[in-house]
Amino acid sequence: MVDHTELIQNEVFLAFASYATIVLSKMMFLSLVTGFYRMTRKAFVNPEDCAVFGKGEEVKKYLWTDNRVERARRAHLNDLENIVPFLGIGLLYSLSGPDLSTALLHFRLFLGARIYHTIAYLIPLPQPNRALAFYIGYGVTLSMAYRLLKSKLYL
Amino acid sequence: MVDHTELIQNEVFLAFASYATIVLSKMMFLSLVTGFYRMTRKAFVNPEDCAVFGKGEEVKKYLWTDNRVERARRAHLNDLENIVPFLGIGLLYSLSGPDLSTALLHFRLFLGARIYHTIAYLIPLPQPNRALAFYIGYGVTLSMAYRLLKSKLYL
Amino acid sequence: MVDHTELIQNEVFLAFASYATIVLSKMMFLSLVTGFYRMTRKAFVNPEDCAVFGKGEEVKKYLWTDNRVERARRAHLNDLENIVPFLGIGLLYSLSGPDLSTALLHFRLFLGARIYHTIAYLIPLPQPNRALAFYIGYGVTLSMAYRLLKSKLYL
């Protein structure tokens, strides 16, 4: 067995690990937001979920889609769609030996943009706040993809 | 070229690779469940998918949402929302040099919780079965995130 | 600090990095397609998104679901459901020391299948084009999972 502390001593990789963990925790937080709105607004999609509020026919009035719940769900799906490429491309980018300061700039911008996006979606803020947040995160990921493919393309 | 068998000889990483592969295969299985219910209940969303059952106006009666299909789709989306953080955080956690027995406890609990969640969603089992399964998996991922950030935060 | 250029010098890993980056960029492209159809067909889901087209009651006529938009969204979700397992299993498979030519065959087939799937979904092509594309990608991921578990299972 080999000790792998050396991988975790690579500073760029260490930074990626920290930012990836934080942005994923932020995404997981949206599960709680959806659950919170489902409970407080009594808006469910599965009959078994609202059994505590009533039985039989009574249940039907809790099976509806509420605006707040759907908004949280859309913010969550948008996170998934954008954080998955960030994780995949970011991991490979971190291992491709980039400059520490350039890498940090990418990770910080991405984390900031995704937090901004969630706030803009949940409150909601008027456009183009959410669009701007989306495109900053999108641009960061594309920039990492470009640097990765430019230096290490192998098809 | 360097041989990377040493990474795969790290026992925690090896365990993570096994559990991640199994939990991802379980998630992929839900694609087949959705497809199975779409075919047997003739409930489609794309006109081209039900062309084999009829043509022209006839097609419309197959374009509806069936309860079983939607249930499988929701179980699938919930898997995505929870397995993506597990993969990202779990990979970094595995490389941060945790105790083998602690790591195995995390991976086993997570796999068990997600299998339990899928069963609870598809059958469906009465609540709080599904909620319990969800929060066990959620807690496991947060626990790994906490250990990772505590030992190696680099912002 | 240790230099990790050796990981990026492993040819299979390098190939995985290239294909993963390309397939993720392709997935991200579907965000733009959805946005494009939302703008050109004026079909929105958030009131704040169509404020530029009108105010107050006027906004409601832009809050509807358009066929083209929904099609792009479904293609995107299907990508997520299939690319996440490819990333997770493919990364671990790349590190398990497979044959370069076997690995390249897997990566190329997967990338081709997912591009074919997107085209078949967006145009749309008649079935079984999309189903075929889906099952090729699915089979590639399962084949990598099988090889990984066969050689390195650790539970």
Side-chain angles (χ1 to χ4, degrees), chain B residues 1-8 11-22 24-25 27-32 35 38 45-50 73 76-77 80 83-84 87 91 100 104 108 111, chain C residues 6-12 67 71 74 77 80-82 84-89 91-92 95-97 120-121 124-127 130 134-135 137-139 141-142 144-146 148-149 152-155:
Chain B
M1 196 184 128
V2 168
D3 189 37
H4 271 269
T5 43
E6 64 308 344
L7 189 54
I8 220 79
E11 280 182 306
V12 173
F13 185 78
L14 209 55
F16 173 72
S18 302
Y19 282 94
T21 305
I22 293 168
L24 283 169
S25 305
M27 184 176 91
M28 289 173 73
F29 171 68
L30 282 167
S31 289
L32 301 186
R38 282 206 187 286
V45 68
N46 296 302
E48 70 269 26
D49 296 356
C50 37
R73 291 185 58 220
H76 201 164
L77 186 58
L80 257 182
I83 291 175
V84 165
L87 284 182
L91 175 68
L100 178 60
L104 277 174
R108 283 172 188 162
L111 177 62
Chain C
E6 66 304 347
L7 190 55
I8 220 77
Q9 274 160 20
N10 175 320
E11 280 182 306
V12 173
N67 230 4
R71 204 170 262 284
R74 288 196 297 271
L77 186 58
L80 257 182
E81 290 171 356
N82 288 283
V84 165
F86 173 79
L87 284 182
I89 293 171
L91 175 66
L92 302 168
L95 297 174
S96 71
Y121 221 142
L125 296 178
Q127 288 285 24
R130 204 181 82 233
F134 172 82
Y135 282 112
Y138 198 87
T141 308
L142 281 193
M144 294 193 301
Y146 173 74
L148 190 55
L149 291 182
K152 310 272 179 189
L153 193 63
Y154 189 106
L155 297 179

Side-chain angles (χ1 to χ4, degrees), chain C residues 2-147:
Chain C
V2 167
D3 190 37
H4 271 269
T5 42
E6 66 304 347
L7 190 55
I8 220 77
Q9 274 160 20
N10 175 320
E11 280 182 306
V12 173
F13 185 78
L14 209 55
F16 174 71
S18 303
Y19 282 94
T21 304
I22 294 168
V23 84
L24 282 169
S25 305
K26 186 213 76 61
M27 184 176 90
M28 289 173 73
F29 171 70
L30 282 168
S31 289
L32 302 186
V33 174
T34 303
F36 171 79
Y37 281 128
R38 282 206 187 284
M39 294 304 287
T40 53
R41 304 177 83 95
K42 299 195 174 63
F44 298 94
V45 68
N46 296 302
E48 71 268 26
D49 296 356
C50 38
V52 73
F53 296 117
K55 277 173 188 174
E57 283 305 295
E58 249 189 300
V59 154
K60 284 192 184 164
K61 73 173 171 190
Y62 301 117
L63 300 179
W64 59 299
T65 56
D66 176 78
N67 230 4
R68 289 263 125 207
V69 173
E70 296 306 304
R71 204 170 262 284
R73 290 184 59 219
R74 288 196 297 271
H76 201 164
L77 186 58
N78 195 283
D79 254 8
L80 257 182
E81 290 171 356
N82 288 283
I83 290 174
V84 165
F86 173 79
L87 284 182
I89 293 171
L91 175 66
L92 302 168
Y93 167 78
S94 303
L95 297 174
S96 71
D99 228 39
L100 178 60
S101 61
T102 317
L104 278 173
L105 181 67
H106 281 84
F107 303 157
R108 282 171 188 162
L109 260 176
F110 187 83
L111 177 62
R114 295 313 304 177
I115 292 174
Y116 177 22
H117 184 273
T118 301
I119 294 170
Y121 221 142
L122 293 182
I123 290 188
L125 296 178
Q127 288 285 24
N129 279 292
R130 204 181 82 233
L132 188 66
F134 172 82
Y135 282 112
I136 293 172
Y138 198 87
V140 167
T141 308
L142 281 193
S143 159
M144 294 193 301
Y146 173 74
R147 280 151 194 273

Side-chain angles (χ1 to χ4, degrees), chain A residues 1-8 11-22 24-25 27-32 35 38 45-50 73 76-77 80 83-84 87 91 100 104 108 111, chain B residues 6-12 67 71 74 77 80-82 84-89 91-92 95-97 120-121 124-127 130 134-135 137-139 141-142 144-146 148-149 152-155:
Chain A
M1 198 183 128
V2 167
D3 189 39
H4 271 269
T5 42
E6 65 307 346
L7 189 55
I8 219 78
E11 280 181 306
V12 173
F13 185 78
L14 209 54
F16 174 71
S18 303
Y19 283 93
T21 304
I22 294 168
L24 283 170
S25 304
M27 184 176 91
M28 289 173 72
F29 170 69
L30 282 167
S31 289
L32 301 186
R38 283 206 186 283
V45 67
N46 297 301
E48 70 269 26
D49 296 356
C50 38
R73 290 183 60 219
H76 201 163
L77 186 58
L80 257 182
I83 291 175
V84 165
L87 285 183
L91 175 67
L100 178 61
L104 278 174
R108 283 171 186 161
L111 177 62
Chain B
E6 64 308 344
L7 189 54
I8 220 79
Q9 273 160 19
N10 176 320
E11 280 182 306
V12 173
N67 230 4
R71 203 170 262 283
R74 290 196 295 272
L77 186 58
L80 257 182
E81 289 171 357
N82 288 283
V84 165
F86 173 79
L87 284 182
I89 293 172
L91 175 68
L92 303 168
L95 297 174
S96 73
Y121 221 142
L125 296 178
Q127 288 286 25
R130 205 181 81 233
F134 172 82
Y135 281 112
Y138 198 87
T141 308
L142 280 193
M144 294 192 302
Y146 172 74
L148 191 55
L149 291 183
K152 311 272 178 188
L153 193 64
Y154 189 107
L155 297 178

